Amino acid sequence: MLEPGGPEVWGSADWRAQAVAWLDERLAAVGIERTGEVEQPHLRPWATALKVPTSRGIVWLKAAGPGTAFEVALYELLHRVVPERVLTPIAVDASRGWIALPDGGPLLGDVARENLPEALVAVVPEYGQLQRDLAPHVDALLAVGVTDMRPAIMPTRFDEACSVVRALVDRSGSAAERHTVSRISECRDTFVSWCEQLASAPASPTLDHNDLHPWNILAPHLESDRARFYDWGDSVVAHPFGGMRITLTSLGDHLRTNASDPRITRVRDAYLEAFSDLAPRADLATAFELSCRINKVIRTLTWARAVNATGTPDEFTRAPLHTLSSLFDPPD
């Protein structure tokens, strides 16, 4: 069983002492020595990270809560199947939800801030290929605890999302917000039809990062011209295209533009190129829009998990509601 976590535990001197002792022992086992004081730059309700200087550069120790602890075993699977696309774990402790990773270098969002569309055009086909490489391993992904969000189960996930958001709104929302949730739940038949269409669309279910923005992509470095992807704690097994909604939305926010901007559609088209052998471009584009719509239910549940992790629901209540409320909006 996973050890208790959360800010109160992870922020304590006792927990830090245990974590640093574990890391020192694991680093020594592979010939690495800690060379300075440990920092804790990230402390969130669902995870924390320690930054550790060592004889081989910075090492990060990430501790995950129950909702994202699967990431530890997932990294081991990713390292076996797509080692060139992810960081190589230095040490793991699944019972604690701990993983030690080397520093991955600069982030794409920082390195290419002034030229982000072009940088993403180069990177997203690599992510699409990663997804295709992982498609034969869906059973293994589910076995390590990645949540099943394949089209066939999404009607059930829709019910879960409506129920969770309704509970949050009942706790601290307005009458208008409660009406919004009721209106969405009444459109279940439409959502089910989307799921049925997506189930027969091009591309097989696979791993979806589900939070792939430019600051979760490690920039290509001198030793390799390949980008790498990290922070897999929100990932799910789903139709591959839907998670690109986060990528494009993030880019749109950065550029202060909308989805019709050619700089945005060019990134979408570059991503779909990784699947171009499966169907004509028009069919891929249709599946892309459908998958991105359905992803809003996935993201609603991801946000709801964050709400549950905080212990103070008001902090994130509006995120699940906002995401679910946009489900039937025009494509974004």
Side-chain angles (χ1 to χ4, degrees):
M1 181 177 292
L2 188 70
E3 289 188 353
E8 185 175 344
V9 173
W10 296 325
S12 69
D14 181 61
W15 182 87
R16 281 190 55 162
Q18 292 181 45
V20 171
W22 174 84
L23 185 61
D24 284 345
E25 179 183 338
R26 296 302 180 93
L27 291 176
V30 292
I32 303 175
E33 180 182 357
R34 180 164 59 89
T35 58
E37 294 300 312
V38 175
E39 301 176 31
Q40 192 170 17
H42 306 294
L43 179 59
R44 301 294 284 170
W46 47 86
T48 190
L50 302 181
K51 184 179 180 181
V52 184
T54 79
S55 55
R56 295 191 194 173
I58 296 297
V59 169
W60 294 86
L61 189 160
K62 182 174 183 178
T68 59
F70 69 86
E71 186 180 6
V72 175
L74 175 59
Y75 255 106
E76 295 182 286
L77 174 59
L78 292 173
H79 180 60
R80 292 196 301 271
V81 180
V82 287
E84 71 284 0
R85 299 294 187 193
V86 296
L87 297 171
T88 301
I90 296 171
V92 299
D93 188 331
S95 67
R96 289 168 157 163
W98 293 358
I99 183 168
L101 295 164
D103 187 80
L107 305 177
L108 188 72
D110 293 332
V111 171
R113 183 178 292 272
E114 303 303 320
N115 202 28
L116 205 50
E118 289 74 12
L120 285 170
V121 163
V123 165
V124 293
E126 299 182 35
Y127 172 65
Q129 187 57 55
L130 173 149
Q131 290 182 296
R132 296 197 68 175
D133 291 343
L134 287 164
H137 302 273
V138 162
D139 289 345
L141 291 166
L142 296 172
V144 300
V146 182
T147 303
D148 190 352
M149 296 285 187
R150 289 175 291 181
I153 202 171
M154 286 310 297
T156 299
R157 301 303 187 205
F158 173 85
D159 297 337
E160 293 173 5
C162 290
S163 177
V164 166
V165 174
R166 185 180 295 109
L168 292 172
V169 170
D170 284 346
R171 197 178 312 168
S172 60
S174 65
E177 289 170 336
R178 289 191 287 275
H179 175 72
T180 295
V181 178
S182 296
R183 177 180 56 81
I184 292 169
S185 64
E186 291 169 358
C187 297
R188 186 180 191 275
D189 288 348
T190 299
F191 185 81
V192 170
S193 71
W194 292 349
C195 296
E196 291 170 348
Q197 293 174 56
L198 190 61
S200 60
S204 301
T206 183
L207 187 67
D208 175 3
H209 185 285
N210 196 32
D211 194 24
L212 190 70
H213 54 72
W215 287 267
N216 272 341
I217 301 172
L218 299 166
H221 53 91
L222 294 177
E223 292 79 13
S224 169
D225 61 355
R226 297 186 174 202
R228 291 170 297 169
F229 308 93
Y230 85 110
D231 198 3
W232 294 91
D234 285 347
S235 58
V236 296
V237 172
H239 188 275
F241 298 171
M244 285 300 294
R245 185 180 69 85
I246 290 92
T247 313
L248 300 185
T249 300
S250 173
L251 177 59
D253 291 344
H254 176 76
L255 298 175
R256 298 183 180 179
T257 189
N258 57 43
S260 63
D261 190 312
R263 293 172 293 178
I264 304 290
T265 56
R266 185 167 168 242
V267 174
R268 178 204 64 187
D269 292 344
Y271 169 75
L272 290 178
E273 190 61 32
F275 302 87
S276 60
D277 60 310
L278 299 180
R281 176 54 61 91
D283 292 346
L284 294 175
T286 298
F288 187 91
E289 179 181 330
L290 195 59
S291 189
C292 286
R293 279 188 178 276
I294 290 173
N295 173 265
K296 292 179 180 182
V297 169
I298 297 174
R299 287 299 299 174
T300 296
L301 291 170
T302 302
W303 276 118
R305 182 177 64 195
V307 171
N308 290 334
T310 66
T312 54
D314 288 346
E315 183 179 359
F316 291 104
T317 295
R318 293 300 175 273
L321 174 63
H322 174 75
T323 305
L324 189 64
S325 297
S326 69
L327 181 59
F328 295 99
D329 289 351
D332 57 1

